[in-house]
Amino acid sequence: MSTFIYRDHTLYAEQVSVAECVRQYGTPLYIYSQSALSNNYFAYARAQERIKVCYAVKANSNIRVLNILAGLGSGFDIVSGGELARVIRAGGNCRNVVFSGVGKSSREICAALQADILSLNVESEMELDAIADCARHTHIQAPISFRINPNIKAATHPHLSTGKESDKFGLHPEQALALYEKAAGQKELSIVGISSHIGSQIFKAAPLEQMLNELLDIVDRLKANGIALKLINVGGGLGVCYRDEQPLSIGQYISTIEKKIAGRDLTLLVEPGRSIVASAGILVTQVQYIKKSATHKFAVVDAAMNDFMRPILYNNFHKISTVQEAHPRKKLPYHIVGPICESADFFGSNYMLALASQDLLAIHDTGAYGFTMSSNYNSRPRAAEVMVHGKEHMLIRERETHDSLWHNEWAPAQ
Ligand SMILES: Cc1ncc(COP(=O)(O)O)c(C=O)c1O
């Protein structure tokens, strides 16, 4: 059940009126639902006992979001030292942290070793050597998994594909096998597992199952050579419904995987991001002006591409609705655009809405890859974020101010 619903023709986040939140915190405003977060998390965590959910921090890295997930027992998939620092600050347990990414710096690797994380997912031979150097330098044995690139097409947007040969991620299986042998001979390295992540917004089980088969084949070949793995990490990537897509059932997906690894002494790791936070967030924005050209009607809103990039970056559709539902006005087709000086600054075309200046709009399913991808382009302070839980709401990130724009910049004395 959605946690953003209309009651008496006005949009609510759980039991909090969205209009009330806007009165208190202004727009543009990200509003998240704690119940949606935990329901989405438990769709994975309750599916099987032998599963470790490592939430992909990049999807939404707000410290309160991480803190809630840590409280539910979640681990974390990180891709930078900054994300590690956020997890620690949020009270996350580093023993449940896995570190992915093709370009981990020595500083980041050393910090991860010192934090005693569960696994570094190695993506190249040079990275393996760098990890061994850091392990010698810190005198901490490095727990490693190799990330496999199984050359599988995930049938998703090209920018969201990560498991094809032409993608920069992971290692060819044969290359990985050779590196497992190399790592097995180094006492500063401890081989713990294997991982893969073939992309995001995936709706078919077949590519994911094919990836798992590839991983299990490598597990078997390693075992025959005396290398036993403990962790098998199948990444994230399950798609969510933005318009009318049919997502895979998380429960079914996990139990299919579980069946395939049944009887093996392996712990299953998953790294979901989008499927945990996307539906847990909306971006609320206010219509500034209605504008007509010879061919189009534009609703110019106060959020912009710097606040939410997905429509332009991935040409992605998001539902947009008015916060107040009942309108005597006629619905007309509007292009929803922001104030930034780029024609790319739009949220969507031909939305049938009844609009006037000052109306509030909710852009739905913006909890994932929303605020985390925002920027200060056009010197726009970034939006505020609010967490709603039942009847309670809490500001979890203040709106930036003009001063915060040049906080780290040289400026003349005043
Ligand atoms: C290594 C890794 N794991 C997990 C994820 C999360 O993917 P999703 O948000 O589609 O679940 C990503 C996203 O890009 C990723 O790169």
Side-chain angles (χ1 to χ4, degrees):
M1 200 188 80
S2 171
T3 40
F4 296 96
I5 46 167
Y6 285 88
R7 269 189 235 130
D8 298 328
H9 304 291
T10 186
L11 185 62
Y12 275 75
E14 301 195 18
Q15 293 167 55
V16 175
S17 150
V18 167
E20 184 48 46
C21 270
V22 167
R23 265 191 287 281
Q24 197 158 337
Y25 306 112
T27 54
L29 180 69
Y30 277 96
I31 302 180
Y32 307 120
S33 152
Q34 185 165 338
S35 308
L37 263 186
S38 50
N39 290 343
N40 293 341
Y41 169 79
F42 283 120
Y44 283 93
R46 289 216 181 103
Q48 289 293 336
E49 273 171 21
R50 277 200 316 157
I51 189 174
K52 248 188 216 295
V53 180
C54 293
Y55 163 71
V57 173
K58 65 170 77 66
N60 184 325
S61 55
N62 182 287
I63 288 179
R64 178 62 181 148
V65 170
L66 304 183
N67 170 260
I68 289 169
L69 290 169
L72 299 175
S74 185
F76 298 96
D77 165 51
I78 58 164
V79 291
S80 72
E83 288 190 350
L84 175 62
R86 278 185 174 273
V87 168
I88 294 170
R89 188 68 187 82
N93 177 356
C94 289
R95 284 304 300 148
N96 291 331
V97 168
V98 295
F99 195 168
S100 312
V102 292
K104 305 171 195 78
S105 69
S106 293
R107 184 190 292 226
E108 289 174 319
I109 294 167
C110 289
L113 294 180
Q114 275 149 353
D116 193 23
I117 71 165
L118 178 61
S119 176
L120 287 136
N121 296 343
V122 185
E123 308 217 15
S124 66
E125 181 165 12
M126 281 183 83
E127 187 196 343
L128 180 68
D129 295 340
I131 292 173
D133 279 348
C134 291
R136 279 188 288 274
H137 178 72
T138 56
H139 306 287
I140 301 170
Q141 198 185 37
I144 56 161
S145 303
F146 287 95
R147 176 169 172 178
I148 307 300
N149 180 326
N151 193 22
I152 291 172
K153 211 171 160 190
T156 185
H157 188 282
H159 294 177
L160 297 176
S161 161
T162 55
K164 290 205 305 296
E165 244 167 19
S166 51
D167 298 323
K168 68 180 175 183
F169 300 98
L171 288 153
H172 185 279
E174 295 305 323
Q175 222 183 343
L177 281 163
L179 292 183
Y180 272 109
E181 294 292 338
K182 174 172 170 176
Q186 293 179 259
K187 62 179 184 332
E188 54 277 351
L189 301 174
S190 154
I191 297 171
V192 293
I194 188 163
S195 82
S196 192
H197 170 78
I198 59 171
S200 200
Q201 235 349 32
I202 298 173
F203 293 98
K204 292 203 161 61
L208 293 161
E209 287 178 27
Q210 196 187 337
M211 172 253 282
L212 179 59
N213 291 341
E214 291 275 351
L215 296 187
L216 289 175
D217 180 57
I218 298 170
V219 170
D220 290 340
R221 289 170 69 183
L222 289 171
K223 199 168 178 191
N225 285 348
I227 300 175
L229 304 185
K230 290 186 250 170
L231 308 175
I232 185 159
N233 178 344
V234 294
L238 290 204
V240 302
C241 175
Y242 288 117
R243 187 198 294 256
D244 52 10
E245 304 91 333
Q246 300 279 311
L248 289 168
S249 142
I250 293 171
Q252 265 171 26
Y253 167 65
I254 297 297
S255 72
T256 311
I257 298 183
E258 248 298 303
K259 277 192 199 114
K260 280 186 188 277
I261 65 165
R264 294 166 181 268
D265 201 10
L266 286 170
T267 298
L268 174 64
L269 263 68
V270 285
E271 300 172 348
R274 187 188 310 275
S275 48
I276 290 194
V277 280
S279 66
I282 57 171
L283 171 59
V284 187
T285 181
Q286 186 173 46
V287 176
Q288 301 301 292
Y289 305 111
I290 303 288
K291 178 175 169 169
K292 291 179 191 157
S293 73
T295 51
H296 292 102
K297 288 179 196 50
F298 298 97
V300 185
V301 298
D302 66 356
M305 63 191 282
N306 75 299
D307 298 303
F308 188 54
M309 281 195 70
R310 288 185 41 71
I312 187 60
L313 193 58
Y314 305 113
N315 196 20
N316 203 85
F317 172 89
H318 283 260
K319 288 179 191 145
I320 300 180
S321 65
T322 49
V323 168
Q324 303 295 343
E325 228 183 7
H327 262 303
R329 287 186 294 273
K330 201 172 148 215
K331 288 189 174 173
L332 296 168
Y334 286 100
H335 289 2
I336 313 293
V337 300
I340 281 187
C341 295
E342 300 272 352
S343 290
D345 183 23
F346 74 93
F347 295 113
S349 315
N350 291 318
Y351 282 87
M352 290 303 292
L353 294 165
L355 289 185
S357 171
Q358 310 301 306
D359 280 355
L360 296 174
L361 294 178
I363 308 177
H364 293 261
D365 304 306
T366 48
Y369 306 104
F371 187 91
T372 39
M373 285 186 154
S374 65
S375 75
N376 291 123
Y377 187 43
N378 271 210
S379 284
R380 288 171 50 86
R382 278 182 293 178
E385 295 174 287
V386 165
M387 181 66 69
V388 163
H389 187 36
K391 292 182 176 158
E392 310 290 324
H393 49 94
M394 175 171 128
L395 184 64
I396 58 171
R397 193 179 206 276
E398 280 182 19
R399 182 175 307 288
E400 289 179 352
T401 61
H402 287 164
D403 276 344
S404 60
L405 290 177
W406 50 79
H407 181 68
N408 296 322
E409 206 169 312
W410 176 88
Q414 280 184 323

